[in-house]
Amino acid sequence: MGMITDWPSLAACQNGDPDALFVQGAEQNVAKRICRSCPVRYECLADALDNRIEFGVWGGMTERERRALLRRHPQVTSWRKMFEAAMKKSAKDKASKDRILAATTSS
Protein backbone atom coordinates (compact mmCIF):
# COMPACT_ATOMS: atom_id res chain seq x y z
CA MET A 1 0.00 0.00 0.00
CA GLY A 2 1.64 3.20 -1.14
CA MET A 3 0.69 6.79 -1.24
CA ILE A 4 -1.39 8.13 -4.12
CA THR A 5 0.54 10.16 -6.69
CA ASP A 6 -2.43 11.97 -8.22
CA TRP A 7 -3.75 13.01 -4.82
CA PRO A 8 -5.18 16.47 -5.73
CA SER A 9 -7.94 14.89 -7.80
CA LEU A 10 -9.14 12.96 -4.73
CA ALA A 11 -8.82 15.74 -2.16
CA ALA A 12 -11.84 16.66 -0.03
CA CYS A 13 -11.20 20.33 -0.79
CA GLN A 14 -11.01 20.04 -4.58
CA ASN A 15 -14.53 21.34 -5.21
CA GLY A 16 -14.58 23.91 -2.42
CA ASP A 17 -13.44 27.48 -2.28
CA PRO A 18 -9.62 27.43 -2.44
CA ASP A 19 -9.47 30.68 -0.45
CA ALA A 20 -11.07 28.84 2.50
CA LEU A 21 -7.73 27.08 3.08
CA PHE A 22 -5.72 30.30 3.12
CA VAL A 23 -7.11 31.96 6.22
CA GLN A 24 -5.72 33.22 9.52
CA GLY A 25 -6.56 32.81 13.18
CA ALA A 26 -9.57 30.81 14.33
CA GLU A 27 -10.70 30.32 10.74
CA GLN A 28 -7.80 27.89 10.32
CA ASN A 29 -9.61 25.44 12.60
CA VAL A 30 -12.54 25.46 10.19
CA ALA A 31 -10.16 24.83 7.30
CA LYS A 32 -8.48 21.98 9.17
CA ARG A 33 -11.86 20.28 9.64
CA ILE A 34 -12.08 19.82 5.87
CA CYS A 35 -8.89 17.77 6.04
CA ARG A 36 -10.02 15.41 8.80
CA SER A 37 -12.04 13.17 6.51
CA CYS A 38 -9.86 13.63 3.43
CA PRO A 39 -8.70 10.34 1.91
CA VAL A 40 -5.41 11.88 0.75
CA ARG A 41 -4.57 13.94 3.82
CA TYR A 42 -1.08 12.47 4.24
CA GLU A 43 -0.21 12.83 0.57
CA CYS A 44 -1.19 16.50 0.77
CA LEU A 45 0.78 17.05 3.96
CA ALA A 46 3.85 15.27 2.59
CA ASP A 47 3.73 17.44 -0.53
CA ALA A 48 3.49 20.62 1.54
CA LEU A 49 6.36 19.56 3.80
CA ASP A 50 8.61 18.32 1.01
CA ASN A 51 8.06 21.48 -1.01
CA ARG A 52 8.20 23.82 1.99
CA ILE A 53 4.84 25.39 1.16
CA GLU A 54 4.63 28.42 3.40
CA PHE A 55 0.97 29.44 3.31
CA GLY A 56 -2.38 27.80 3.89
CA VAL A 57 -3.71 24.69 5.53
CA TRP A 58 -2.35 21.55 3.89
CA GLY A 59 -2.97 18.02 5.12
CA GLY A 60 -4.67 19.36 8.21
CA MET A 61 -1.75 21.47 9.37
CA THR A 62 -1.29 25.23 9.39
CA GLU A 63 1.89 26.89 8.19
CA ARG A 64 2.99 27.36 11.81
CA GLU A 65 2.42 23.69 12.62
CA ARG A 66 4.35 22.60 9.52
CA ARG A 67 7.28 24.90 10.33
CA ALA A 68 7.43 23.47 13.86
CA LEU A 69 7.37 19.91 12.51
CA LEU A 70 10.15 20.69 10.05
CA ARG A 71 12.25 22.23 12.84
CA ARG A 72 11.72 19.18 15.08
CA HIS A 73 12.74 16.76 12.32
CA PRO A 74 15.46 18.35 10.18
CA GLN A 75 16.84 14.90 9.34
CA VAL A 76 13.80 13.96 7.25
CA THR A 77 14.69 14.37 3.58
CA SER A 78 11.40 13.02 2.19
CA TRP A 79 8.18 13.18 4.16
CA ARG A 80 6.47 11.17 1.44
CA LYS A 81 8.89 8.28 1.94
CA MET A 82 8.59 8.56 5.69
CA PHE A 83 4.78 8.45 5.57
CA GLU A 84 4.87 5.52 3.11
CA ALA A 85 7.14 3.57 5.46
CA ALA A 86 4.87 4.35 8.42
CA MET A 87 1.79 3.25 6.46
CA LYS A 88 3.46 -0.04 5.46
CA LYS A 89 4.53 -0.71 9.06
CA SER A 90 1.03 0.04 10.32
CA ALA A 91 -0.52 -2.33 7.76
CA LYS A 92 1.99 -5.04 8.65
CA ASP A 93 1.33 -4.61 12.39
CA LYS A 94 -2.43 -4.79 11.80
CA ALA A 95 -2.05 -7.96 9.74
CA SER A 96 -0.01 -9.55 12.55
CA LYS A 97 -2.62 -8.61 15.15
CA ASP A 98 -5.39 -9.97 12.92
CA ARG A 99 -3.56 -13.29 12.53
CA ILE A 100 -3.08 -13.57 16.30
CA LEU A 101 -6.73 -12.72 16.95
CA ALA A 102 -7.88 -15.27 14.35
CA ALA A 103 -5.67 -17.95 15.88
CA THR A 104 -6.94 -17.32 19.41
CA THR A 105 -10.63 -17.18 18.46
CA SER A 106 -10.55 -20.32 16.30
CA SER A 107 -9.03 -22.46 19.07
Side-chain angles (χ1 to χ4, degrees):
M1 173 182 202
M3 293 181 73
I4 299 166
T5 306
D6 184 29
W7 64 266
S9 65
L10 301 172
C13 62
Q14 75 169 336
N15 293 322
D17 177 12
D19 292 335
L21 300 173
F22 295 90
V23 292
Q24 296 296 315
E27 291 180 62
Q28 289 178 326
N29 291 326
V30 174
K32 287 166 60 171
R33 265 184 261 163
I34 296 167
C35 303
R36 284 189 196 145
S37 62
C38 184
V40 291
R41 178 180 180 182
Y42 294 106
E43 287 85 346
C44 176
L45 179 57
D47 190 58
L49 292 167
D50 286 340
N51 292 298
R52 305 300 195 260
I53 296 175
E54 294 183 25
F55 303 104
V57 172
W58 294 82
M61 293 184 84
T62 66
E63 54 266 21
R64 176 180 271 176
E65 292 166 334
R66 292 192 307 277
R67 279 194 307 270
L69 185 60
L70 289 167
R71 276 193 308 273
R72 283 193 309 271
H73 300 283
Q75 76 285 0
V76 177
T77 56
S78 171
W79 288 91
R80 182 179 183 82
K81 287 180 183 177
M82 191 178 111
F83 289 165
E84 283 179 331
M87 290 168 88
K88 286 177 185 174
K89 183 181 182 323
S90 177
K92 186 177 177 182
D93 290 349
K94 184 184 180 321
S96 293
K97 287 177 185 175
D98 289 349
R99 281 193 300 276
I100 292 168
L101 182 61
T104 55
T105 57
S106 65
S107 300

